[in-house]
Amino acid sequence: MWFIYFVMTEEKKSLNFIEHIIEEDLENGMNTSNLRFRFPPEPNGYLHIGHTKAIGISFGLGLKYNAPVNLRFDDTNPAKEEQEYVDAIKEDITWLGYTWDRECYSSDYFQQLYDWTVQLIKEDKAYVDSQTAEAIAEQKGTTTEPGTNSPYRDRSVVENLDLFERMKNGEFDEGAHVVRAKIDMADPNMLMRDPLMYRILKKSHHRTGDEWCIYPMYDWTHGESDYIENISHSLCSLEFKPHRKLYDWFLDQVYSEHIRPKQREFARLNLSYTIMSKRKLLKLVEEGIVKGWDDPRMPTISGLRRRGYTPASIRKFVETVGVAKRENVIDVSLLEFCVREDLNKIAPRVMAVMNPVKLVITNYPEGQEEWLEAENNPEDDSAGSRKVPFSRELYIEKEDFKEEASRKFFRLTLGKEVRLKNAYIIKGESVVKDDEGNITEIHCTYDPESRSGSGTEASKRNVKGTLHWVSIAHAVPAEIRVYDRLFNDEAPAGHKDKDFMEFLNPESLKIITGYVEPSLKEVQPLEQFQFQRLGYFNVDPDSSDNLLVFNKTVGLRDTWAKAKPVQSQNNNNKPAQNQQREVRAIEEVKRAGKKYTNLPEEKRAVLKNKIIEAAKKVEIEELIPLYNTAAKKVGTRIATTIALGIVLETKNMEPDELAIAFIQKGIEDGNELLQTEAKEIAKKYSIN
């Protein structure tokens, strides 16, 4: 039944605007065999999460239309490009699960571009300008005033050809001359005002060596490379939309009989709490803020891979974000949600203790040990089980014990019982403290008849708390690197009067020594696990036979969904001392959900109106993590459903695959209030 449902959903899935363009081209006579796409990175840094959208769009279209996709390196600036970046980009794309048809380089076309430039000079459509860069920029004019012609614009064809050849032969210093297209210095689009085509760069190229000392500019190279490679649709981000007119003008000069590329633009992927500039990411590397491009705090694909993100989670994230024409900022919690959801399905469960305190089971025989059965992954029936050792002395988390605790503390305290995961029920009896009053040991007793899975009446006894643990005699020490967001501001590059480095999070990395169960002794780099009750972790490549190293990928739940501080209105812009905390709209929805089902009908109607008003300020990405709310938290699911209906309506959106699945679950739920809200959305959007 579910398989049929999801197939139907996929068939009904609406086309994005790029797919509409392609479908229209096919309807107008383009042959499917002529479709060819490309992903054209510049090898001047490592790919980051922002690039995954462009990768996903181009390679996704290739898969959808069974069309080839080229990987082309736009390597026209030897001052910034390196083979290291080429290799890293290829590795990242392969890791994401995509395969390219042809591996191409703009440098392969240097001779052709040079020959075309010579032809343009002969046709008096290009010339050599000998002004300084500053003079050229000043003559460009403004958006309201036309530019002025270069004094060298009317050089003769003979002189231009001579100078261009001598530029190629290395007779001039950098900056002495450039080649410009001769278009229109009064064009409303400033990019059309005699744009640069070539400059002198006496730098060794990572592929062509010292063969060339003049290099083509991006605008001249890009469209012509697309043309040479028979690219049908040249897809790029929105900042290139003003370049489209120039892209087409350059194509007009060389177009004859090949497929003519069509440039179309989509919104970039912007992520909160994240820097997307390769130049700024390079600064973090060069200044030692991070330990290389693959530092797990970096938003690079290699950094995400090292941190434990999966290809499936990143691809799901890109798919969920979708293809848009308008720029927006996606909450990083959506990316974390996607990896959390994927790892929940595939990551084996193991036990680790990160902040240990010794626990002694006083009535357990000294010197005895037993190996208990532990399930590897309750989400995967085929994952099987493993044996974990149990003994008299264990490590548990310090946070899991309080000498004195309230009734709402469901972990270990004196006089109360909890269950040790996969093991026995224990009862807190006493503590041992050092001279400063710190607890060094917790003494407990256990019920020998209460072993998990034994089938005894004692084993079925219901206790509220369950703790993870590690046997001290068998514990394996490990270095555990706990990562947090690299920046503590949602838009670190969005402050005109401040440097993005001011927003670095000093707590972005904590290194601790913890203990893990012995089944992890033979793990391999990048293997992923759920440390039960702690989060998802993976094995860092720094691990050795002598020391295991784990990276925290993500917690079991989003801990960043907190209120934002209200800034004071004084001149120094510092937070007020007694500041109130502004509640995010999504938090209002969550809070309302917690009490929704406990209210009488009149008060529930008032609360529903509050949810509706809050939902008008909510983005769809903020709701997605709530789709997987536990079934027992029906109030939150109701509030999420109400909010979803409002978000879809106010933003004029259609429900995507995730939303449809959530609505379907609501219809099938046993709670009538949830059913009613879900059915209302289903009726409006014709969801069966």
Side-chain angles (χ1 to χ4, degrees), residues 585-593 611 614-615 618 623 626 639-640 643:
I586 189 64
E587 291 303 309
E588 292 186 33
V589 173
K590 292 180 186 177
R591 290 183 185 182
I611 295 171
V618 169
L623 288 177
L626 299 180
T640 303

Side-chain angles (χ1 to χ4, degrees), residues 312-424:
S313 67
I314 294 175
R315 291 175 70 157
K316 183 63 176 178
F317 170 68
V318 172
E319 178 187 339
T320 303
V321 169
V323 182
K325 294 182 180 180
R326 188 174 57 187
E327 295 281 4
N328 63 339
V329 178
I330 306 300
D331 196 317
V332 69
S333 62
L334 176 58
L335 175 62
E336 294 166 348
F337 165 79
C338 288
V339 71
R340 191 180 290 117
E341 185 181 52
D342 190 40
L343 290 175
N344 182 55
K345 300 172 186 174
I346 64 173
R349 276 52 167 169
V350 296
M351 289 193 288
V353 176
M354 292 169 55
N355 188 18
V357 63
K358 186 176 181 179
L359 182 143
V360 180
I361 304 174
T362 56
N363 63 333
Y364 193 89
E366 291 191 40
Q368 178 174 308
E369 68 176 48
E370 56 185 307
W371 290 77
L372 306 175
E373 197 80 16
E375 188 178 24
N376 284 334
N377 189 343
E379 302 292 325
D380 182 2
D381 294 336
S382 66
S385 61
R386 68 192 186 285
K387 297 287 187 179
V388 291
F390 185 83
S391 62
R392 174 186 171 92
E393 297 183 350
L394 311 173
Y395 284 132
I396 66 168
E397 300 285 351
K398 285 183 181 179
E399 295 81 3
D400 282 343
F401 175 79
K402 284 186 179 180
E403 194 171 1
E404 297 179 2
S406 68
R407 287 183 299 174
K408 292 186 177 181
F409 185 76
F410 298 126
R411 287 170 275 180
L412 183 61
T413 188
L414 299 181
K416 291 188 177 181
E417 292 184 327
V418 296
R419 175 172 291 284
L420 294 174
K421 181 71 175 175
N422 304 310
Y424 298 93

